[in-house]
Amino acid sequence: MPEGIRRLIEPFIALSPSKQMLIAAVALISAVAFAVLIFVANRTEYRPLFTNLTSEDAGEIVKKLKDAKTPYEITADGKGILVPADKVYELRLTLASEGIPQGGGVGFEIFDRKNFGMTEFVQKLNYQRALQGELSRTIAQLTGVEQARVHLVIPEKSLFKDNEKPATASIVLKMKSNRALKDSEVQGVVHLVSSSIEGMDAEHVTILDSRGKILSKGGGAAIRRHVCLRPCRKLSGRMKKMSKNVFNRYLTG
């Protein structure tokens, strides 16, 4: 044994067995604590980028993150995505500039890019998709609503009034756990949708939850009489005006 090492360990050997065990235990604990400290210091901290995502939005975000070679984690329920803490705000701004997440489908941002040569049929189809997306986003903001899907049927206008078919809407609501909409809120949703679509009557709007329970079918006088619909009427008026302006601009352009 080299003389230098022997001189270092001689004081330790001279100690009693109990003191030797104490020093060994302290050394072991110190080594473990140092290893944990290094692990924590080098570990990447992940924070939520987005939560309560639809499967479509989650898939699109994951694709973007893979393309950018950004590390990510998906929460156990599949509705949240975690990214390194130092990249959260940068990624949110980048994705927001691309209209992600859409939160219930594409909205009027579908018209942000002009597609020359688009047929009138495709323009009308995109306009209907945009209406469905915007209405879904608005309804999903209600307290207790986790997700909303709006399906519109808007028939072509006929030269003969008797041959015209009414526009209809079906709305499927996925509620948060142990939450339910009040009757006034359901009626407000009916009024919002019917007022946002030209020529649609409240009796042609049907609402059901994700379990198939019908929440509203056929509207009726109670909806028209309800005094709490002023905010929805104001919002639907703005939406109708905005959608008409966007549609007319792209039809004439």
Side-chain angles (χ1 to χ4, degrees):
M1 179 182 297
E3 184 68 19
I5 296 178
R6 187 175 63 81
R7 289 181 178 178
L8 287 175
I9 65 174
E10 276 183 351
F12 178 76
I13 295 175
L15 296 173
S16 63
S18 59
K19 290 184 177 180
Q20 289 179 354
M21 292 181 61
L22 178 62
I23 292 175
V26 171
L28 179 61
I29 294 173
S30 299
V32 172
F34 184 70
V36 171
L37 182 63
I38 293 177
F39 174 77
V40 172
N42 293 330
R43 182 184 178 187
T44 302
E45 181 184 2
Y46 281 77
R47 290 185 180 178
L49 178 63
F50 294 108
T51 57
N52 293 324
L53 293 167
T54 62
S55 57
E56 293 83 0
D57 283 337
E60 185 66 21
I61 292 173
V62 167
K63 181 178 181 299
K64 295 289 185 182
L65 294 177
K66 285 182 177 179
D67 291 343
K69 296 182 180 180
T70 301
Y72 65 90
E73 294 178 358
I74 300 176
T75 57
D77 59 4
K79 297 180 180 180
I81 296 178
L82 311 177
V83 296
D86 59 340
K87 295 182 179 294
V88 169
Y89 298 108
E90 178 185 353
L91 287 170
R92 284 179 182 172
L93 290 173
T94 301
L95 292 171
S97 67
E98 300 179 22
I100 302 173
Q102 295 176 348
V106 66
F108 286 123
E109 70 273 3
I110 195 173
F111 293 111
D112 288 345
R113 295 188 297 269
K114 287 190 176 182
N115 295 318
F116 296 101
M118 183 186 297
T119 64
E120 183 180 356
F121 172 77
V122 175
Q123 285 181 328
K124 289 183 178 180
L125 182 62
N126 285 341
Y127 174 68
Q128 182 168 325
R129 289 176 60 200
L131 276 178
Q132 292 176 163
E134 293 292 342
L135 286 169
S136 296
R137 294 174 183 177
T138 302
I139 296 170
Q141 293 176 7
L142 291 175
T143 303
V145 177
E146 180 176 333
Q147 186 178 348
R149 293 186 67 89
V150 177
H151 303 276
L152 301 175
V153 177
I154 305 177
E156 293 284 344
K157 290 187 177 181
S158 174
L159 294 175
F160 303 99
K161 188 70 175 179
D162 294 340
N163 294 337
E164 283 191 1
K165 295 182 179 179
T168 61
S170 299
I171 305 164
V172 182
L173 302 179
K174 183 179 181 181
M175 307 301 298
K176 296 178 182 178
S177 57
N178 301 322
R179 299 300 298 268
L181 288 180
K182 300 176 183 178
D183 290 341
S184 59
E185 293 172 326
V186 173
Q187 294 168 359
V189 171
V190 172
H191 186 82
L192 169 67
V193 174
S194 62
S195 299
S196 300
I197 309 301
E198 184 177 0
M200 180 177 290
D201 294 326
E203 59 261 26
H204 295 138
V205 178
T206 299
I207 303 177
L208 64 156
D209 61 21
S210 56
R211 295 174 295 181
K213 178 183 177 182
I214 295 178
L215 304 179
S216 176
K217 183 178 181 181
I223 294 175
R224 292 188 291 270
R225 289 197 309 263
H226 205 276
V227 296
C228 295
L229 300 181
R230 185 174 300 172
C232 287
R233 185 180 297 114
K234 185 177 181 180
L235 178 60
S236 64
R238 291 201 305 266
M239 182 178 293
K240 182 183 292 184
K241 183 178 180 180
M242 181 173 62
S243 63
K244 281 185 178 181
N245 290 339
V246 172
F247 189 48
N248 290 336
R249 176 160 54 91
Y250 279 85
L251 281 180
T252 56

